[in-house]
Amino acid sequence: MVKKVEVKNLTKIYGKRGPRVKELIEQGKSKAEILEETGATVGVNQANFEVNEGEIFVIMGLSGSGKSTLIRMINRLIEPTRGTILIDNQDLMGLDKKGLREVRRQKMSMIFQNFALFPNRTILENTAYGLEIKGITKAVREQKAHEALELVGLHGYDDQFPSQLSGGMQQRVGLARGLANDAEILLMDEAFSALDPLNRKDMQDELLDLQAKMHKTIIFISHDLNEALRIGDRIMIMKDGVVVQTGTPEDILTHPADDYVKRFIEDVDRTRVLTVANVMIRPNTVNIDKDGPRLALRRMQENEISSVYVVDSERKFVGFADAKDVIKLIQQGSRDLKSVVQTDVPITHPDVAVNDLMDQLSSTPIPFAVLDDERQLVGIIVRGAVLGAIAGNEVTQ
Ligand SMILES: Nc1ncnc2c1ncn2[C@@H]1O[C@H](COP(=O)(O)OP(=O)(O)O)[C@@H](O)[C@H]1O
Ligand SMILES: [Mg+2]
Protein backbone atom coordinates (compact mmCIF):
# COMPACT_ATOMS: atom_id res chain seq x y z
CA MET A 1 0.00 0.00 0.00
CA VAL A 2 1.25 3.45 -0.89
CA LYS A 3 0.99 6.06 1.82
CA LYS A 4 -0.60 9.17 0.40
CA VAL A 5 -1.08 11.25 3.52
CA GLU A 6 0.83 10.85 6.74
CA VAL A 7 0.09 12.88 9.83
CA LYS A 8 2.32 12.88 12.91
CA ASN A 9 1.56 14.48 16.25
CA LEU A 10 -0.63 17.04 14.57
CA THR A 11 -1.86 19.52 17.13
CA LYS A 12 -3.92 22.70 17.09
CA ILE A 13 -4.35 24.95 20.07
CA TYR A 14 -6.79 27.84 19.79
CA GLY A 15 -6.34 30.94 21.90
CA LYS A 16 -3.54 31.42 24.39
CA ARG A 17 -0.69 28.96 23.91
CA GLY A 18 2.51 29.46 25.82
CA PRO A 19 4.91 26.81 27.09
CA ARG A 20 2.51 25.64 29.82
CA VAL A 21 -0.04 24.42 27.25
CA LYS A 22 2.67 22.49 25.45
CA GLU A 23 3.75 20.93 28.73
CA LEU A 24 0.20 19.87 29.58
CA ILE A 25 -0.31 18.37 26.11
CA GLU A 26 2.88 16.39 26.52
CA GLN A 27 1.71 15.18 29.92
CA GLY A 28 -1.36 13.79 28.19
CA LYS A 29 -3.82 16.14 29.89
CA SER A 30 -7.33 16.33 28.48
CA LYS A 31 -8.97 19.17 26.59
CA ALA A 32 -11.07 20.02 29.67
CA GLU A 33 -8.04 20.09 32.00
CA ILE A 34 -6.04 22.28 29.64
CA LEU A 35 -8.94 24.69 29.19
CA GLU A 36 -9.43 24.84 32.95
CA GLU A 37 -5.81 25.58 33.74
CA THR A 38 -4.78 27.79 30.81
CA GLY A 39 -7.91 29.00 29.03
CA ALA A 40 -6.64 27.53 25.74
CA THR A 41 -8.91 25.34 23.59
CA VAL A 42 -7.40 22.16 22.24
CA GLY A 43 -8.72 21.69 18.71
CA VAL A 44 -6.66 18.61 17.86
CA ASN A 45 -4.32 16.84 20.26
CA GLN A 46 -1.36 14.95 18.74
CA ALA A 47 -3.21 13.13 15.98
CA ASN A 48 -1.34 10.33 14.21
CA PHE A 49 -2.63 8.49 11.17
CA GLU A 50 -1.90 7.50 7.61
CA VAL A 51 -4.16 7.43 4.60
CA ASN A 52 -3.34 5.03 1.80
CA GLU A 53 -3.61 5.83 -1.87
CA GLY A 54 -7.05 5.01 -3.24
CA GLU A 55 -8.61 4.70 0.20
CA ILE A 56 -11.75 6.29 1.61
CA PHE A 57 -10.72 7.28 5.12
CA VAL A 58 -13.57 8.48 7.30
CA ILE A 59 -12.98 10.71 10.30
CA MET A 60 -15.82 10.47 12.77
CA GLY A 61 -16.72 12.09 16.05
CA LEU A 62 -19.27 14.24 17.82
CA SER A 63 -19.52 17.94 17.14
CA GLY A 64 -16.53 19.78 18.58
CA SER A 65 -14.26 16.72 18.54
CA GLY A 66 -11.81 18.41 16.16
CA LYS A 67 -12.71 16.90 12.79
CA SER A 68 -12.90 20.15 10.82
CA THR A 69 -9.77 21.50 12.46
CA LEU A 70 -7.92 18.32 11.52
CA ILE A 71 -9.01 18.19 7.89
CA ARG A 72 -8.26 21.88 7.42
CA MET A 73 -4.78 21.38 8.79
CA ILE A 74 -4.12 18.75 6.13
CA ASN A 75 -4.00 21.47 3.48
CA ARG A 76 -2.88 24.10 6.00
CA LEU A 77 -6.05 26.09 5.60
CA ILE A 78 -5.68 26.08 9.38
CA GLU A 79 -2.07 26.45 10.48
CA PRO A 80 -1.05 23.63 12.85
CA THR A 81 0.44 24.55 16.21
CA ARG A 82 2.71 21.52 16.02
CA GLY A 83 3.18 18.33 14.04
CA THR A 84 4.03 17.00 10.63
CA ILE A 85 1.97 16.51 7.48
CA LEU A 86 3.44 14.48 4.65
CA ILE A 87 1.73 14.37 1.27
CA ASP A 88 3.42 11.82 -1.01
CA ASN A 89 6.31 11.95 1.45
CA GLN A 90 6.68 15.69 1.01
CA ASP A 91 6.66 17.69 4.23
CA LEU A 92 3.93 20.29 3.91
CA MET A 93 5.16 22.23 6.93
CA GLY A 94 8.47 22.89 5.22
CA LEU A 95 6.89 24.62 2.23
CA ASP A 96 6.75 28.36 1.61
CA LYS A 97 3.58 30.04 0.36
CA LYS A 98 4.32 29.35 -3.26
CA GLY A 99 5.19 25.70 -2.68
CA LEU A 100 2.09 25.23 -0.60
CA ARG A 101 -0.10 26.77 -3.28
CA GLU A 102 1.43 24.41 -5.82
CA VAL A 103 0.74 21.28 -3.72
CA ARG A 104 -2.81 22.39 -2.97
CA ARG A 105 -3.43 23.05 -6.63
CA GLN A 106 -2.10 19.77 -7.88
CA LYS A 107 -3.05 17.42 -5.13
CA MET A 108 -5.90 18.55 -2.96
CA SER A 109 -9.46 19.58 -3.36
CA MET A 110 -11.83 20.43 -0.53
CA ILE A 111 -15.57 19.86 -0.61
CA PHE A 112 -17.61 21.50 2.14
CA GLN A 113 -21.10 20.98 3.43
CA ASN A 114 -22.19 24.55 2.97
CA PHE A 115 -20.55 25.64 -0.20
CA ALA A 116 -22.14 28.54 -1.99
CA LEU A 117 -23.28 28.45 -5.58
CA PHE A 118 -23.36 31.79 -7.35
CA PRO A 119 -27.01 32.37 -8.23
CA ASN A 120 -26.23 34.40 -11.34
CA ARG A 121 -23.80 31.96 -12.82
CA THR A 122 -24.65 28.84 -14.77
CA ILE A 123 -24.03 25.38 -13.36
CA LEU A 124 -21.07 25.03 -15.70
CA GLU A 125 -19.55 28.32 -14.55
CA ASN A 126 -20.18 27.40 -10.93
CA THR A 127 -18.45 24.07 -11.45
CA ALA A 128 -15.53 25.74 -13.16
CA TYR A 129 -15.13 28.30 -10.38
CA GLY A 130 -12.21 26.58 -8.63
CA LEU A 131 -10.36 26.36 -11.94
CA GLU A 132 -11.14 29.97 -12.73
CA ILE A 133 -9.45 31.24 -9.59
CA LYS A 134 -6.46 29.12 -10.46
CA GLY A 135 -6.19 30.99 -13.74
CA ILE A 136 -7.01 28.07 -16.05
CA THR A 137 -8.14 29.17 -19.49
CA LYS A 138 -11.83 29.31 -20.21
CA ALA A 139 -11.89 26.54 -22.81
CA VAL A 140 -9.99 24.11 -20.61
CA ARG A 141 -11.93 24.83 -17.45
CA GLU A 142 -15.27 24.52 -19.20
CA GLN A 143 -14.23 21.22 -20.68
CA LYS A 144 -13.16 19.91 -17.28
CA ALA A 145 -16.26 21.26 -15.57
CA HIS A 146 -18.45 19.67 -18.21
CA GLU A 147 -16.76 16.29 -17.69
CA ALA A 148 -17.13 16.58 -13.92
CA LEU A 149 -20.85 17.33 -14.26
CA GLU A 150 -21.25 14.25 -16.42
CA LEU A 151 -19.44 12.21 -13.78
CA VAL A 152 -21.82 13.22 -11.00
CA GLY A 153 -24.86 12.52 -13.14
CA LEU A 154 -25.77 16.09 -14.08
CA HIS A 155 -25.85 15.58 -17.80
CA GLY A 156 -27.57 18.42 -19.63
CA TYR A 157 -27.54 20.94 -16.78
CA ASP A 158 -24.53 22.97 -17.89
CA ASP A 159 -26.52 26.05 -18.82
CA GLN A 160 -29.09 25.99 -16.05
CA PHE A 161 -28.92 28.20 -12.98
CA PRO A 162 -28.71 27.01 -9.33
CA SER A 163 -32.32 27.95 -8.59
CA GLN A 164 -33.44 25.44 -11.22
CA LEU A 165 -31.81 22.56 -9.32
CA SER A 166 -32.99 20.69 -6.23
CA GLY A 167 -30.91 20.70 -3.04
CA GLY A 168 -29.53 17.27 -3.82
CA MET A 169 -28.53 18.32 -7.31
CA GLN A 170 -26.86 21.43 -5.96
CA GLN A 171 -24.78 19.24 -3.67
CA ARG A 172 -23.75 17.26 -6.74
CA VAL A 173 -22.51 20.50 -8.25
CA GLY A 174 -20.35 20.90 -5.14
CA LEU A 175 -18.94 17.44 -5.73
CA ALA A 176 -18.39 18.20 -9.42
CA ARG A 177 -16.57 21.39 -8.48
CA GLY A 178 -14.30 19.34 -6.24
CA LEU A 179 -13.67 16.78 -8.98
CA ALA A 180 -13.15 19.26 -11.80
CA ASN A 181 -9.59 20.10 -10.87
CA ASP A 182 -8.34 16.50 -11.02
CA ALA A 183 -6.96 16.61 -7.48
CA GLU A 184 -5.62 13.29 -6.24
CA ILE A 185 -6.85 13.87 -2.71
CA LEU A 186 -10.41 14.89 -1.89
CA LEU A 187 -11.02 16.43 1.50
CA MET A 188 -14.73 16.24 2.24
CA ASP A 189 -15.98 17.93 5.40
CA GLU A 190 -19.50 16.67 6.17
CA ALA A 191 -20.16 17.07 2.48
CA PHE A 192 -23.46 15.17 2.63
CA SER A 193 -24.63 16.08 6.12
CA ALA A 194 -27.10 18.73 5.02
CA LEU A 195 -28.95 16.36 2.69
CA ASP A 196 -32.13 14.50 3.52
CA PRO A 197 -31.66 10.73 4.02
CA LEU A 198 -32.59 9.67 0.47
CA ASN A 199 -30.45 12.24 -1.28
CA ARG A 200 -27.71 11.45 1.13
CA LYS A 201 -27.77 7.77 0.31
CA ASP A 202 -27.79 8.63 -3.40
CA MET A 203 -24.70 10.77 -2.95
CA GLN A 204 -22.94 8.05 -0.97
CA ASP A 205 -23.66 5.61 -3.81
CA GLU A 206 -22.51 8.19 -6.32
CA LEU A 207 -19.27 8.67 -4.43
CA LEU A 208 -18.66 4.91 -4.28
CA ASP A 209 -19.34 4.60 -8.03
CA LEU A 210 -17.00 7.47 -8.76
CA GLN A 211 -14.37 6.01 -6.50
CA ALA A 212 -14.54 2.67 -8.32
CA LYS A 213 -13.65 4.53 -11.52
CA MET A 214 -11.33 7.24 -10.26
CA HIS A 215 -9.41 5.75 -7.31
CA LYS A 216 -8.92 9.04 -5.50
CA THR A 217 -7.64 9.25 -1.99
CA ILE A 218 -10.57 10.54 0.01
CA ILE A 219 -10.66 11.88 3.54
CA PHE A 220 -14.29 12.12 4.46
CA ILE A 221 -15.67 13.62 7.64
CA SER A 222 -18.93 12.46 9.06
CA HIS A 223 -20.65 12.43 12.42
CA ASP A 224 -22.79 9.50 11.31
CA LEU A 225 -21.53 5.96 11.83
CA ASN A 226 -23.98 4.55 9.29
CA GLU A 227 -22.43 6.76 6.65
CA ALA A 228 -18.94 5.84 7.83
CA LEU A 229 -19.73 2.12 7.61
CA ARG A 230 -21.21 2.45 4.15
CA ILE A 231 -18.37 4.32 2.54
CA GLY A 232 -15.26 3.96 4.70
CA ASP A 233 -12.42 1.57 3.97
CA ARG A 234 -11.14 2.62 7.38
CA ILE A 235 -12.64 4.79 10.07
CA MET A 236 -10.90 7.02 12.58
CA ILE A 237 -12.85 8.10 15.64
CA MET A 238 -12.07 11.33 17.47
CA LYS A 239 -13.11 12.62 20.87
CA ASP A 240 -12.16 15.96 22.42
CA GLY A 241 -9.37 16.45 19.90
CA VAL A 242 -7.86 13.01 20.48
CA VAL A 243 -7.88 10.02 18.13
CA VAL A 244 -9.52 7.20 20.08
CA GLN A 245 -9.59 4.44 17.48
CA THR A 246 -8.61 3.77 13.87
CA GLY A 247 -9.63 0.62 12.07
CA THR A 248 -11.72 -1.12 9.44
CA PRO A 249 -15.49 -0.94 9.88
CA GLU A 250 -15.36 -4.53 11.13
CA ASP A 251 -12.69 -3.66 13.72
CA ILE A 252 -14.73 -0.79 15.03
CA LEU A 253 -17.91 -2.85 15.22
CA THR A 254 -16.37 -5.88 16.86
CA HIS A 255 -13.65 -4.34 19.00
CA PRO A 256 -14.74 -0.84 20.07
CA ALA A 257 -11.83 0.79 21.91
CA ASP A 258 -13.86 2.38 24.70
CA ASP A 259 -17.33 3.41 25.87
CA TYR A 260 -17.41 6.42 23.57
CA VAL A 261 -17.00 4.21 20.51
CA LYS A 262 -19.45 1.70 21.99
CA ARG A 263 -22.06 4.40 22.24
CA PHE A 264 -21.65 5.16 18.55
CA ILE A 265 -22.12 1.58 17.58
CA GLU A 266 -25.07 0.92 19.88
CA ASP A 267 -27.37 2.47 17.31
CA VAL A 268 -26.07 0.31 14.53
CA ASP A 269 -25.15 -2.72 16.49
CA ARG A 270 -27.32 -5.08 14.56
CA THR A 271 -24.45 -7.51 14.12
CA ARG A 272 -25.58 -9.42 17.16
CA VAL A 273 -29.04 -10.03 15.73
CA LEU A 274 -28.19 -10.27 12.05
CA THR A 275 -27.62 -13.75 10.73
CA VAL A 276 -25.90 -14.84 7.57
CA ALA A 277 -29.34 -15.44 6.01
CA ASN A 278 -30.15 -11.73 6.49
CA VAL A 279 -27.12 -10.46 4.62
CA MET A 280 -26.34 -13.06 1.98
CA ILE A 281 -26.89 -12.29 -1.67
CA ARG A 282 -27.75 -14.56 -4.57
CA PRO A 283 -24.71 -16.06 -6.28
CA ASN A 284 -24.32 -16.53 -10.01
CA THR A 285 -23.94 -20.23 -10.61
CA VAL A 286 -23.29 -22.80 -13.29
CA ASN A 287 -24.21 -26.48 -13.18
CA ILE A 288 -21.13 -28.66 -13.42
CA ASP A 289 -23.19 -31.60 -14.67
CA LYS A 290 -24.38 -29.83 -17.79
CA ASP A 291 -22.78 -26.40 -18.29
CA GLY A 292 -19.42 -25.87 -19.96
CA PRO A 293 -16.78 -23.14 -19.85
CA ARG A 294 -18.45 -20.99 -22.50
CA LEU A 295 -21.65 -20.65 -20.51
CA ALA A 296 -19.61 -19.95 -17.36
CA LEU A 297 -17.77 -17.14 -19.13
CA ARG A 298 -20.96 -15.69 -20.59
CA ARG A 299 -22.54 -15.63 -17.13
CA MET A 300 -19.55 -13.73 -15.76
CA GLN A 301 -19.57 -11.25 -18.64
CA GLU A 302 -23.30 -10.63 -18.36
CA ASN A 303 -22.99 -9.91 -14.66
CA GLU A 304 -19.64 -8.13 -14.83
CA ILE A 305 -18.06 -10.48 -12.32
CA SER A 306 -14.74 -12.29 -12.44
CA SER A 307 -15.77 -15.62 -10.96
CA VAL A 308 -18.81 -17.85 -10.87
CA TYR A 309 -20.01 -20.42 -8.34
CA VAL A 310 -20.27 -24.03 -9.38
CA VAL A 311 -23.00 -26.39 -8.18
CA ASP A 312 -24.23 -29.81 -9.27
CA SER A 313 -27.69 -30.76 -10.54
CA GLU A 314 -29.01 -30.88 -6.97
CA ARG A 315 -27.58 -27.41 -6.36
CA LYS A 316 -25.02 -28.91 -4.01
CA PHE A 317 -21.92 -26.79 -3.70
CA VAL A 318 -18.85 -27.75 -5.74
CA GLY A 319 -16.62 -24.66 -5.76
CA PHE A 320 -16.00 -21.64 -7.92
CA ALA A 321 -14.36 -20.92 -11.26
CA ASP A 322 -12.26 -17.90 -12.09
CA ALA A 323 -12.62 -16.00 -15.39
CA LYS A 324 -8.89 -16.26 -16.15
CA ASP A 325 -8.92 -20.04 -15.85
CA VAL A 326 -12.14 -20.40 -17.82
CA ILE A 327 -10.77 -18.28 -20.68
CA LYS A 328 -7.63 -20.41 -20.77
CA LEU A 329 -9.77 -23.53 -20.93
CA ILE A 330 -11.75 -22.16 -23.87
CA GLN A 331 -8.56 -21.20 -25.67
CA GLN A 332 -7.27 -24.74 -25.20
CA GLY A 333 -10.48 -26.05 -26.74
CA SER A 334 -11.35 -27.97 -23.58
CA ARG A 335 -14.88 -28.36 -22.25
CA ASP A 336 -13.77 -29.78 -18.91
CA LEU A 337 -14.97 -27.09 -16.51
CA LYS A 338 -14.28 -29.44 -13.60
CA SER A 339 -10.55 -29.16 -14.19
CA VAL A 340 -10.49 -25.48 -13.16
CA VAL A 341 -12.97 -25.52 -10.29
CA GLN A 342 -11.41 -24.27 -7.07
CA THR A 343 -12.76 -25.80 -3.91
CA ASP A 344 -10.85 -23.85 -1.29
CA VAL A 345 -13.67 -21.49 -0.39
CA PRO A 346 -14.67 -20.26 3.08
CA ILE A 347 -18.02 -21.77 4.02
CA THR A 348 -20.73 -20.77 6.44
CA HIS A 349 -24.33 -21.58 7.36
CA PRO A 350 -27.46 -19.35 7.10
CA ASP A 351 -28.04 -19.40 10.88
CA VAL A 352 -24.57 -18.19 11.86
CA ALA A 353 -24.49 -14.74 13.54
CA VAL A 354 -22.83 -12.13 11.36
CA ASN A 355 -20.85 -11.00 14.37
CA ASP A 356 -19.05 -14.34 14.47
CA LEU A 357 -17.92 -13.94 10.85
CA MET A 358 -16.73 -10.36 11.12
CA ASP A 359 -13.04 -10.96 11.78
CA GLN A 360 -12.67 -13.44 8.96
CA LEU A 361 -14.78 -11.37 6.62
CA SER A 362 -12.33 -8.50 6.46
CA SER A 363 -9.36 -10.82 5.94
CA THR A 364 -10.83 -13.21 3.36
CA PRO A 365 -10.72 -11.92 -0.20
CA ILE A 366 -13.20 -14.51 -1.53
CA PRO A 367 -16.87 -14.27 -0.56
CA PHE A 368 -18.16 -16.91 1.86
CA ALA A 369 -20.33 -19.63 0.35
CA VAL A 370 -23.48 -20.14 2.41
CA LEU A 371 -24.50 -23.80 2.51
CA ASP A 372 -27.63 -25.19 4.14
CA ASP A 373 -27.86 -28.55 5.94
CA GLU A 374 -28.01 -30.38 2.60
CA ARG A 375 -24.86 -28.56 1.41
CA GLN A 376 -26.89 -26.69 -1.18
CA LEU A 377 -25.52 -23.28 -2.10
CA VAL A 378 -28.16 -20.83 -0.88
CA GLY A 379 -26.17 -17.60 -0.99
CA ILE A 380 -22.84 -15.85 -0.76
CA ILE A 381 -21.56 -13.25 1.65
CA VAL A 382 -19.80 -10.21 0.25
CA ARG A 383 -18.29 -7.62 2.52
CA GLY A 384 -20.05 -4.57 1.09
CA ALA A 385 -23.49 -6.12 1.48
CA VAL A 386 -22.78 -7.03 5.11
CA LEU A 387 -21.66 -3.54 6.04
CA GLY A 388 -24.60 -2.14 4.12
CA ALA A 389 -27.00 -4.34 6.07
CA ILE A 390 -25.44 -3.31 9.36
CA ALA A 391 -25.81 0.31 8.30
CA GLY A 392 -29.50 -0.37 7.78
CA ASN A 393 -29.85 -0.82 4.06
CA GLU A 394 -32.10 -3.38 2.51
CA VAL A 395 -30.09 -6.24 1.12
CA THR A 396 -30.92 -6.48 -2.55
CA GLN A 397 -31.05 -9.98 -3.91
N1 LIG B 1 -11.44 29.49 15.12
C1 LIG B 1 -11.56 28.89 16.32
N2 LIG B 1 -11.22 29.55 17.45
C2 LIG B 1 -11.31 28.97 18.66
N3 LIG B 1 -11.72 27.72 18.86
C3 LIG B 1 -12.09 26.99 17.78
C4 LIG B 1 -12.02 27.54 16.46
N4 LIG B 1 -12.43 26.59 15.58
C5 LIG B 1 -12.73 25.51 16.33
N5 LIG B 1 -12.54 25.73 17.64
C6 LIG B 1 -12.72 24.79 18.74
O1 LIG B 1 -11.97 23.62 18.46
C7 LIG B 1 -12.68 22.45 18.80
C8 LIG B 1 -12.83 21.56 17.60
O2 LIG B 1 -13.71 22.17 16.66
P1 LIG B 1 -13.98 21.59 15.21
O3 LIG B 1 -12.69 21.23 14.60
O4 LIG B 1 -14.84 22.55 14.49
O5 LIG B 1 -14.79 20.26 15.56
P2 LIG B 1 -15.82 19.38 14.66
O6 LIG B 1 -15.56 19.68 13.22
O7 LIG B 1 -15.50 17.98 15.06
O8 LIG B 1 -17.19 19.76 15.09
C9 LIG B 1 -14.00 22.92 19.41
O9 LIG B 1 -13.84 22.97 20.82
C10 LIG B 1 -14.16 24.30 18.82
O10 LIG B 1 -14.91 25.11 19.70
MG1 LIG C 1 -16.89 20.32 11.69
Side-chain angles (χ1 to χ4, degrees):
M1 266 180 279
V2 180
K3 278 183 219 161
K4 193 76 183 167
V5 179
E6 208 175 341
V7 162
K8 294 178 193 161
N9 284 317
L10 200 59
T11 301
K12 178 68 186 180
I13 311 293
Y14 291 109
K16 281 187 290 184
R17 322 201 179 142
R20 183 68 188 141
V21 178
K22 187 175 170 203
E23 223 171 279
L24 293 174
I25 289 260
E26 277 163 6
Q27 287 169 12
K29 296 286 189 214
S30 72
K31 172 170 173 154
E33 288 167 323
I34 294 171
L35 180 67
E36 163 93 32
E37 189 181 325
T38 67
T41 299
V42 178
V44 172
N45 188 343
Q46 302 177 94
N48 286 285
F49 62 93
E50 292 163 6
V51 183
N52 300 310
E53 193 170 71
E55 178 173 51
I56 302 185
F57 187 82
V58 178
I59 302 176
M60 230 191 66
L62 298 178
S63 174
S65 57
K67 307 180 296 294
S68 293
T69 303
L70 185 54
I71 205 169
R72 283 170 171 75
M73 284 196 286
I74 292 173
N75 60 6
R76 283 181 60 191
L77 218 57
I78 289 180
E79 197 59 19
T81 308
R82 287 172 64 199
T84 312
I85 306 151
L86 301 174
I87 308 283
D88 291 324
N89 287 317
Q90 183 181 30
D91 182 0
L92 222 60
M93 298 308 290
L95 295 176
D96 58 13
K97 269 203 179 124
K98 184 162 167 285
L100 182 61
R101 211 176 316 133
E102 206 47 35
V103 172
R104 279 190 190 145
R105 207 173 100 129
Q106 286 173 0
K107 303 212 167 153
M108 292 190 274
S109 182
M110 188 132 186
I111 299 167
F112 300 96
Q113 173 183 341
N114 295 313
F115 67 99
L117 291 181
F118 299 106
N120 303 324
R121 292 183 177 210
T122 65
I123 296 305
L124 189 71
E125 287 163 351
N126 266 291
T127 307
Y129 177 68
L131 299 170
E132 190 179 336
I133 53 175
K134 283 178 186 168
I136 311 271
T137 61
K138 187 162 189 231
V140 172
R141 67 184 191 241
E142 292 198 338
Q143 176 62 30
K144 291 208 181 267
H146 176 75
E147 285 167 13
L149 285 168
E150 300 275 310
L151 272 175
V152 301
L154 285 178
H155 172 79
Y157 286 89
D158 287 16
D159 300 325
Q160 306 247 323
F161 287 90
S163 62
Q164 294 170 286
L165 269 57
S166 69
M169 288 159 100
Q170 292 187 23
Q171 194 64 39
R172 278 170 202 259
V173 179
L175 186 56
R177 188 188 271 177
L179 292 172
N181 58 2
D182 292 333
E184 297 158 21
I185 303 168
L186 296 182
L187 304 173
M188 304 180 69
D189 190 355
E190 308 241 10
F192 305 153
S193 294
L195 298 173
D196 63 66
L198 282 180
N199 270 316
R200 189 163 175 178
K201 187 165 173 297
D202 279 352
M203 286 303 285
Q204 292 165 356
D205 290 341
E206 194 77 53
L207 186 70
L208 291 173
D209 283 351
L210 281 170
Q211 179 64 352
K213 288 182 228 148
M214 307 181 67
H215 311 292
K216 301 269 185 195
T217 302
I218 301 176
I219 302 183
F220 189 103
I221 287 183
S222 178
H223 60 259
D224 174 7
L225 185 60
N226 282 314
E227 183 164 78
L229 290 174
R230 287 203 72 211
I231 67 168
D233 293 309
R234 284 189 306 141
I235 301 171
M236 179 170 97
I237 299 182
M238 294 188 68
K239 180 186 185 227
D240 295 336
V242 177
V243 173
V244 287
Q245 187 168 10
T246 309
T248 62
E250 290 91 343
D251 286 338
I252 305 273
L253 285 168
T254 53
H255 308 291
D258 63 9
D259 285 344
Y260 177 76
V261 182
K262 268 192 204 140
R263 239 173 294 139
F264 265 113
I265 67 173
E266 260 163 22
D267 289 342
V268 292
D269 200 7
R270 285 164 233 169
T271 50
R272 266 172 251 292
V273 286
L274 281 178
T275 63
V276 162
N278 298 133
V279 299
M280 65 190 186
I281 61 172
R282 184 172 301 148
N284 286 288
T285 56
V286 289
N287 181 343
I288 193 84
D289 296 329
K290 56 181 228 274
D291 300 333
R294 282 184 190 281
L295 183 86
L297 186 62
R298 183 150 23 99
R299 195 137 297 163
M300 290 187 256
Q301 285 165 340
E302 281 166 5
N303 295 289
E304 296 180 355
I305 47 180
S306 59
S307 64
V308 70
Y309 285 78
V310 181
V311 295
D312 65 14
S313 294
E314 292 171 342
R315 227 188 142 65
K316 291 209 164 86
F317 180 66
V318 180
F320 78 97
D322 209 69
K324 278 199 303 285
D325 298 333
V326 173
I327 290 168
K328 217 178 284 163
L329 209 57
I330 295 171
Q331 284 166 345
Q332 289 163 358
S334 167
R335 283 196 35 86
D336 184 16
L337 189 57
K338 274 198 188 81
S339 66
V340 296
V341 172
Q342 302 181 43
T343 51
D344 190 13
V345 182
I347 283 167
T348 184
H349 187 275
D351 296 339
V352 168
V354 168
N355 210 18
D356 295 337
L357 276 190
M358 252 349 178
D359 283 340
Q360 299 160 65
L361 206 58
S362 55
S363 57
T364 316
I366 323 168
F368 275 72
V370 184
L371 309 190
D372 66 9
D373 295 336
E374 275 76 53
R375 286 193 63 80
Q376 288 182 329
L377 180 68
V378 291
I380 57 169
I381 300 278
V382 298
R383 186 170 177 243
V386 174
L387 292 171
I390 292 167
N393 304 327
E394 297 289 322
V395 176
T396 44
Q397 293 283 315

